[in-house]
Amino acid sequence: MEKNNIIVTGQQETLLFQDACQIIEQAQAAAYHAVDVTLIKRNWLLGLRIQHEVLKDKRAEYGEQVVRNLATSLAKRYGRGFSMRNLYNFLSFYQNHPNIFYAVSEKYGNILQSLTAKSQDDDQKKSRGQV
């Protein structure tokens, strides 16, 4: 095949195709990994918020009603992935791995710090008997 005075052989076309496939597959794998990590972060952060902002030191009935209302609102807006059962799964994930993102990377500290600052302040005040 000749285009613009450049001769491209069948072997070169095959190598080009193979390289293109490898580039595409690596990009897809990176994208899938990024999505997985982002969903894990999202679920962990939702569990953190539910634990620290809703359920901590509250009556079980109150917490259950709040989670039920949250699930209903989120499901209406984002779909069925935010059922009450899933929210409790996110809570369980957070409870079982409370320091997962702190241990993995300092990169996420700002996000987590802004979400947990109020809860940590409350914890410190409680330990000093100020709340």
Side-chain angles (χ1 to χ4, degrees), residues 2-125:
E2 187 174 330
K3 293 203 177 194
N4 300 330
N5 298 324
I6 299 173
I7 298 173
V8 178
T9 67
Q11 184 180 7
Q12 289 172 318
E13 284 184 11
T14 300
L15 289 174
L16 176 61
F17 175 75
Q18 289 171 345
D19 287 346
C21 289
Q22 185 176 10
I23 291 167
I24 291 166
E25 289 167 9
Q26 288 175 348
Q28 286 175 330
Y32 295 148
H33 177 73
V35 168
D36 288 345
V37 169
T38 301
L39 291 175
I40 289 169
K41 284 187 233 176
R42 179 204 67 188
N43 297 347
W44 187 88
L45 288 168
L46 285 169
L48 176 142
R49 289 287 290 167
I50 291 166
Q51 174 68 36
H52 288 282
E53 301 298 329
V54 176
L55 299 181
K56 193 164 191 171
D57 299 325
K58 306 285 185 194
R59 294 185 333 270
E61 308 84 43
Y62 165 81
E64 184 176 335
Q65 185 60 45
V66 170
V67 173
R68 179 179 286 115
N69 292 344
L70 178 62
T72 300
S73 297
L74 290 174
K76 282 181 185 175
R77 184 165 183 166
Y78 298 107
R80 64 180 182 198
F82 297 95
S83 66
M84 190 170 167
R85 180 178 180 163
N86 280 349
L87 293 183
Y88 276 113
N89 286 337
F90 302 157
L91 173 62
S92 178
F93 176 56
Y94 168 75
Q95 290 171 335
N96 289 317
H97 307 284
N99 298 314
I100 193 169
F101 289 112
Y102 298 115
V104 172
S105 172
E106 295 291 320
K107 182 177 178 180
Y108 309 113
N110 292 337
I111 296 168
L112 298 174
Q113 185 177 11
S114 67
L115 289 172
T116 60
K118 182 179 181 296
S119 296
Q120 289 173 351
D121 289 344
D122 290 347
D123 290 346
Q124 290 172 354
K125 288 178 184 176

